[in-house]
Amino acid sequence: MTTRRPIIAGNWKMYKTSGEAKSYALAFLERVGGVTEADIVLCAPFTALNVLKEELEESVVHLGAQNMSWAVEGAYTGEVSAAMLQDVACTYVILGHSERRELMHETDEMIAKKVKRALEAGLRPILCVGENLKQREAGEAQVIVQNQLKKDLAGLTEDALKKVVIAYEPIWAIGTGKTASSQDAGEMCTAIRFALAAAGPEAADVIPILYGGSVKAENIADLMARPDIDGALVGGASLDPVGFAALIENALKH
Ligand code: PGA
Protein backbone atom coordinates (compact mmCIF):
# COMPACT_ATOMS: atom_id res chain seq x y z
CA MET A 1 0.00 0.00 0.00
CA THR A 2 1.17 3.47 -0.84
CA THR A 3 1.93 5.94 1.91
CA ARG A 4 -0.11 8.95 1.02
CA ARG A 5 1.23 12.41 1.85
CA PRO A 6 -1.17 14.32 4.10
CA ILE A 7 -2.86 17.46 2.80
CA ILE A 8 -4.25 20.09 5.14
CA ALA A 9 -6.20 22.69 3.19
CA GLY A 10 -7.84 25.85 4.47
CA ASN A 11 -11.02 27.07 2.79
CA TRP A 12 -11.41 30.74 3.61
CA LYS A 13 -14.77 30.96 1.82
CA MET A 14 -15.83 34.61 1.36
CA TYR A 15 -13.61 36.03 4.07
CA LYS A 16 -10.53 38.30 3.98
CA THR A 17 -9.53 41.28 1.88
CA SER A 18 -6.08 41.34 0.34
CA GLY A 19 -4.76 43.41 3.27
CA GLU A 20 -6.05 40.84 5.74
CA ALA A 21 -4.59 38.06 3.62
CA LYS A 22 -1.18 39.71 3.76
CA SER A 23 -1.08 39.92 7.56
CA TYR A 24 -2.36 36.33 7.75
CA ALA A 25 0.43 35.12 5.45
CA LEU A 26 3.14 36.73 7.59
CA ALA A 27 1.83 35.26 10.85
CA PHE A 28 1.12 31.86 9.29
CA LEU A 29 4.52 31.45 7.64
CA GLU A 30 6.28 32.18 10.92
CA ARG A 31 4.55 29.12 12.34
CA VAL A 32 4.33 26.63 9.47
CA GLY A 33 7.30 27.69 7.33
CA GLY A 34 9.26 24.63 8.42
CA VAL A 35 6.56 21.99 7.97
CA THR A 36 7.72 19.33 5.52
CA GLU A 37 5.53 16.32 6.42
CA ALA A 38 2.35 17.56 4.71
CA ASP A 39 1.13 19.75 1.89
CA ILE A 40 -0.43 22.88 3.32
CA VAL A 41 -2.88 24.66 1.02
CA LEU A 42 -4.70 27.97 1.42
CA CYS A 43 -7.82 28.28 -0.75
CA ALA A 44 -8.48 32.00 -0.73
CA PRO A 45 -10.95 34.32 -2.49
CA PHE A 46 -9.79 35.26 -6.01
CA THR A 47 -9.01 38.83 -4.97
CA ALA A 48 -6.57 37.74 -2.25
CA LEU A 49 -4.56 35.34 -4.41
CA ASN A 50 -2.17 37.84 -5.90
CA VAL A 51 -0.97 39.17 -2.57
CA LEU A 52 -0.67 35.61 -1.24
CA LYS A 53 1.42 34.71 -4.28
CA GLU A 54 3.85 37.49 -3.36
CA GLU A 55 3.96 36.68 0.35
CA LEU A 56 4.15 32.89 0.04
CA GLU A 57 6.42 32.54 -2.98
CA GLU A 58 8.95 29.75 -2.49
CA SER A 59 7.39 28.81 0.85
CA VAL A 60 5.90 25.44 1.77
CA VAL A 61 2.38 26.84 1.51
CA HIS A 62 0.49 26.05 -1.70
CA LEU A 63 -2.29 28.21 -3.09
CA GLY A 64 -5.74 27.20 -4.21
CA ALA A 65 -8.94 28.82 -5.44
CA GLN A 66 -12.50 27.91 -4.42
CA ASN A 67 -14.03 27.59 -7.88
CA MET A 68 -13.19 28.07 -11.56
CA SER A 69 -14.77 28.01 -15.01
CA TRP A 70 -14.95 24.92 -17.18
CA ALA A 71 -14.19 27.09 -20.20
CA VAL A 72 -10.68 27.92 -21.40
CA GLU A 73 -11.57 31.57 -22.10
CA GLY A 74 -14.31 33.58 -23.73
CA ALA A 75 -17.56 35.39 -23.11
CA TYR A 76 -18.24 34.16 -19.57
CA THR A 77 -18.90 37.29 -17.54
CA GLY A 78 -17.87 36.91 -13.91
CA GLU A 79 -15.96 33.68 -14.39
CA VAL A 80 -12.27 32.94 -13.75
CA SER A 81 -10.26 30.49 -15.85
CA ALA A 82 -7.68 27.86 -14.93
CA ALA A 83 -4.95 29.87 -16.67
CA MET A 84 -5.88 32.94 -14.60
CA LEU A 85 -5.54 30.89 -11.42
CA GLN A 86 -2.16 29.57 -12.52
CA ASP A 87 -1.10 33.15 -13.22
CA VAL A 88 -1.50 33.85 -9.50
CA ALA A 89 0.40 30.68 -8.54
CA CYS A 90 -2.56 28.42 -7.75
CA THR A 91 -1.88 24.71 -7.94
CA TYR A 92 -5.15 23.54 -6.35
CA VAL A 93 -8.82 24.41 -6.84
CA ILE A 94 -11.80 23.39 -4.73
CA LEU A 95 -14.62 22.15 -6.99
CA GLY A 96 -18.16 21.08 -6.19
CA HIS A 97 -18.26 22.51 -2.68
CA SER A 98 -21.72 21.94 -1.21
CA GLU A 99 -22.25 25.70 -0.86
CA ARG A 100 -21.82 26.03 -4.62
CA ARG A 101 -23.98 22.99 -5.30
CA GLU A 102 -26.76 24.28 -3.07
CA LEU A 103 -26.60 28.08 -3.31
CA MET A 104 -25.31 28.47 -6.88
CA HIS A 105 -27.12 25.40 -8.25
CA GLU A 106 -24.01 23.71 -9.59
CA THR A 107 -24.86 20.30 -11.00
CA ASP A 108 -22.71 17.19 -11.24
CA GLU A 109 -22.50 17.77 -15.00
CA MET A 110 -21.05 21.27 -14.46
CA ILE A 111 -18.68 19.98 -11.79
CA ALA A 112 -17.46 17.16 -14.04
CA LYS A 113 -16.60 19.68 -16.76
CA LYS A 114 -14.68 21.79 -14.22
CA VAL A 115 -12.76 18.78 -12.88
CA LYS A 116 -11.79 17.79 -16.42
CA ARG A 117 -10.68 21.32 -17.29
CA ALA A 118 -8.64 21.70 -14.08
CA LEU A 119 -6.79 18.46 -14.79
CA GLU A 120 -6.14 19.39 -18.43
CA ALA A 121 -4.64 22.67 -17.24
CA GLY A 122 -2.48 20.94 -14.61
CA LEU A 123 -4.39 22.13 -11.52
CA ARG A 124 -5.22 19.63 -8.77
CA PRO A 125 -8.97 19.63 -8.12
CA ILE A 126 -10.14 19.15 -4.54
CA LEU A 127 -13.49 17.58 -5.38
CA CYS A 128 -16.02 17.91 -2.55
CA VAL A 129 -18.70 15.28 -2.06
CA GLY A 130 -21.11 14.67 0.81
CA GLU A 131 -24.66 13.98 1.87
CA ASN A 132 -27.16 16.17 3.70
CA LEU A 133 -28.76 15.31 7.04
CA LYS A 134 -31.96 13.94 5.52
CA GLN A 135 -30.00 11.63 3.26
CA ARG A 136 -27.83 10.43 6.15
CA GLU A 137 -30.86 9.76 8.33
CA ALA A 138 -32.47 7.82 5.49
CA GLY A 139 -29.36 5.62 5.29
CA GLU A 140 -28.55 6.92 1.80
CA ALA A 141 -25.23 8.62 2.52
CA GLN A 142 -22.97 6.13 0.75
CA VAL A 143 -25.17 5.88 -2.34
CA ILE A 144 -25.34 9.68 -2.64
CA VAL A 145 -21.57 10.02 -2.37
CA GLN A 146 -20.92 7.15 -4.79
CA ASN A 147 -23.22 8.78 -7.33
CA GLN A 148 -21.48 12.13 -6.99
CA LEU A 149 -18.10 10.47 -7.52
CA LYS A 150 -19.32 8.55 -10.52
CA LYS A 151 -20.76 11.63 -12.21
CA ASP A 152 -18.08 14.15 -11.24
CA LEU A 153 -15.18 11.92 -12.30
CA ALA A 154 -16.83 10.47 -15.41
CA GLY A 155 -14.57 9.85 -18.37
CA LEU A 156 -11.23 10.52 -16.66
CA THR A 157 -8.25 8.30 -17.45
CA GLU A 158 -6.55 6.55 -14.57
CA ASP A 159 -3.53 8.86 -14.91
CA ALA A 160 -5.77 11.92 -14.65
CA LEU A 161 -7.59 10.41 -11.67
CA LYS A 162 -4.31 10.12 -9.80
CA LYS A 163 -4.10 13.93 -9.62
CA VAL A 164 -7.51 14.32 -7.98
CA VAL A 165 -8.01 15.03 -4.28
CA ILE A 166 -11.35 14.08 -2.75
CA ALA A 167 -12.86 15.94 0.21
CA TYR A 168 -15.67 14.16 2.01
CA GLU A 169 -17.75 16.90 3.58
CA PRO A 170 -21.09 15.86 5.10
CA ILE A 171 -23.24 18.95 4.63
CA TRP A 172 -24.72 18.71 8.14
CA ALA A 173 -21.23 19.03 9.63
CA ILE A 174 -20.17 22.15 7.73
CA GLY A 175 -20.00 25.27 9.87
CA THR A 176 -22.34 23.73 12.43
CA GLY A 177 -19.80 22.65 15.04
CA LYS A 178 -21.09 19.07 14.53
CA THR A 179 -18.23 16.91 13.31
CA ALA A 180 -18.94 13.46 11.98
CA SER A 181 -17.54 11.00 14.50
CA SER A 182 -14.08 9.90 13.43
CA GLN A 183 -15.55 6.43 13.01
CA ASP A 184 -18.35 7.57 10.64
CA ALA A 185 -15.96 9.82 8.72
CA GLY A 186 -13.40 7.04 8.50
CA GLU A 187 -15.97 4.53 7.27
CA MET A 188 -17.19 6.86 4.55
CA CYS A 189 -13.63 7.60 3.41
CA THR A 190 -13.00 3.84 3.18
CA ALA A 191 -16.21 3.49 1.14
CA ILE A 192 -15.01 6.31 -1.12
CA ARG A 193 -11.69 4.59 -1.71
CA PHE A 194 -13.56 1.40 -2.51
CA ALA A 195 -15.77 3.24 -5.02
CA LEU A 196 -12.71 4.87 -6.60
CA ALA A 197 -11.13 1.46 -7.05
CA ALA A 198 -13.89 0.58 -9.51
CA ALA A 199 -12.77 3.50 -11.70
CA GLY A 200 -9.04 2.92 -11.27
CA PRO A 201 -7.47 0.54 -8.76
CA GLU A 202 -4.03 2.18 -8.83
CA ALA A 203 -5.50 5.65 -8.59
CA ALA A 204 -7.66 4.65 -5.62
CA ASP A 205 -4.54 3.79 -3.71
CA VAL A 206 -2.83 7.15 -4.26
CA ILE A 207 -5.76 9.61 -4.19
CA PRO A 208 -5.71 11.65 -0.98
CA ILE A 209 -9.11 11.66 0.75
CA LEU A 210 -9.70 14.58 3.10
CA TYR A 211 -12.44 15.00 5.66
CA GLY A 212 -14.15 18.38 6.05
CA GLY A 213 -16.87 19.68 8.38
CA SER A 214 -16.12 21.44 11.68
CA VAL A 215 -12.53 20.22 11.81
CA LYS A 216 -10.71 21.85 14.73
CA ALA A 217 -7.35 21.60 16.47
CA GLU A 218 -9.10 19.41 19.08
CA ASN A 219 -10.52 16.76 16.75
CA ILE A 220 -8.01 16.57 13.89
CA ALA A 221 -5.75 13.94 15.46
CA ASP A 222 -8.61 11.43 15.85
CA LEU A 223 -9.68 11.96 12.25
CA MET A 224 -6.15 11.60 10.93
CA ALA A 225 -5.74 8.34 12.82
CA ARG A 226 -8.25 6.67 10.45
CA PRO A 227 -6.47 4.71 7.71
CA ASP A 228 -8.40 6.24 4.80
CA ILE A 229 -8.39 9.86 5.99
CA ASP A 230 -5.34 11.58 4.55
CA GLY A 231 -5.99 15.14 5.62
CA ALA A 232 -8.60 17.80 6.12
CA LEU A 233 -10.42 20.64 4.39
CA VAL A 234 -10.87 23.26 7.07
CA GLY A 235 -13.27 26.21 6.89
CA GLY A 236 -13.86 28.29 10.02
CA ALA A 237 -10.80 27.01 11.85
CA SER A 238 -8.48 28.09 9.03
CA LEU A 239 -9.34 31.78 9.36
CA ASP A 240 -6.97 32.49 12.21
CA PRO A 241 -3.31 31.86 11.33
CA VAL A 242 -2.28 30.92 14.86
CA GLY A 243 -5.19 28.50 15.32
CA PHE A 244 -4.74 26.95 11.89
CA ALA A 245 -1.02 26.44 12.53
CA ALA A 246 -1.88 24.69 15.82
CA LEU A 247 -4.39 22.48 13.99
CA ILE A 248 -1.71 21.51 11.46
CA GLU A 249 0.72 20.71 14.26
CA ASN A 250 -1.86 18.41 15.88
CA ALA A 251 -2.65 16.77 12.54
CA LEU A 252 0.96 15.70 12.15
CA LYS A 253 1.54 14.46 15.70
CA HIS A 254 0.37 10.89 15.31
P1 PGA B 1 -16.10 24.25 8.36
O1 PGA B 1 -16.16 24.27 6.75
O2 PGA B 1 -14.72 23.72 8.73
O3 PGA B 1 -16.29 25.68 8.75
O4 PGA B 1 -17.18 23.36 8.84
C1 PGA B 1 -15.59 23.26 5.97
C2 PGA B 1 -15.82 23.53 4.51
O5 PGA B 1 -16.92 24.00 4.15
O6 PGA B 1 -14.94 23.28 3.66
Side-chain angles (χ1 to χ4, degrees):
M1 210 184 82
T2 325
T3 327
R4 290 174 296 269
R5 189 173 159 77
I7 298 179
I8 311 291
N11 172 13
W12 285 2
K13 308 194 180 190
M14 200 172 72
Y15 293 102
K16 296 193 191 297
T17 60
S18 52
E20 288 162 347
K22 184 171 177 164
S23 352
Y24 182 110
L26 296 172
F28 191 52
L29 255 197
E30 248 175 53
R31 289 163 177 87
V32 303
V35 173
T36 53
E37 315 91 295
D39 283 347
I40 300 171
V41 188
L42 288 180
C43 299
F46 295 133
T47 49
L49 288 169
N50 206 30
V51 75
L52 289 175
K53 173 189 170 188
E54 280 162 22
E55 296 305 320
L56 300 172
E57 207 147 43
E58 286 170 38
S59 81
V60 298
V61 183
H62 303 263
L63 284 184
Q66 302 168 14
N67 178 34
M68 59 163 247
S69 170
W70 62 71
V72 175
E73 63 178 359
Y76 296 93
T77 301
E79 290 292 295
V80 170
S81 73
M84 291 166 184
L85 296 183
Q86 288 168 312
D87 186 42
V88 285
C90 281
T91 46
Y92 288 83
V93 59
I94 297 175
L95 294 175
H97 192 281
S98 59
E99 285 150 18
R100 297 209 58 87
R101 290 179 191 257
E102 291 198 332
L103 305 171
M104 313 296 163
H105 309 294
E106 283 194 16
T107 63
D108 287 306
E109 289 66 32
M110 291 157 80
I111 295 159
K113 287 207 274 182
K114 292 179 183 206
V115 170
K116 195 156 172 276
R117 177 67 207 128
L119 290 166
E120 279 164 5
L123 283 165
R124 271 196 106 172
I126 303 177
L127 171 66
C128 300
V129 292
E131 81 287 357
N132 64 29
L133 189 57
K134 209 167 143 220
Q135 293 161 335
R136 171 149 290 258
E137 285 171 349
E140 293 165 355
Q142 287 201 9
V143 176
I144 294 289
V145 168
Q146 282 160 2
N147 273 332
Q148 288 173 333
L149 289 170
K150 201 170 159 198
K151 290 183 179 160
D152 302 346
L153 301 173
L156 297 181
T157 64
E158 182 146 22
D159 274 350
L161 263 182
K162 286 181 184 165
K163 304 272 161 39
V164 173
V165 179
I166 303 291
Y168 167 55
E169 297 207 314
I171 297 170
W172 47 271
I174 295 178
T176 57
K178 276 190 213 161
T179 329
S181 69
S182 58
Q183 185 176 341
D184 283 351
E187 279 172 9
M188 180 63 96
C189 292
T190 300
I192 289 174
R193 200 172 301 289
F194 193 75
L196 291 171
E202 276 178 37
D205 201 31
V206 299
I207 291 177
I209 303 179
L210 319 182
Y211 168 77
S214 299
V215 176
K216 304 185 256 306
E218 298 75 40
N219 59 21
I220 182 77
D222 263 1
L223 291 159
M224 294 293 289
R226 298 282 154 177
D228 283 304
I229 299 184
D230 305 311
L233 181 56
V234 185
S238 73
L239 290 173
D240 167 55
V242 179
F244 193 34
L247 185 156
I248 293 168
E249 197 184 315
N250 288 351
L252 301 175
K253 262 187 195 151
H254 73 285

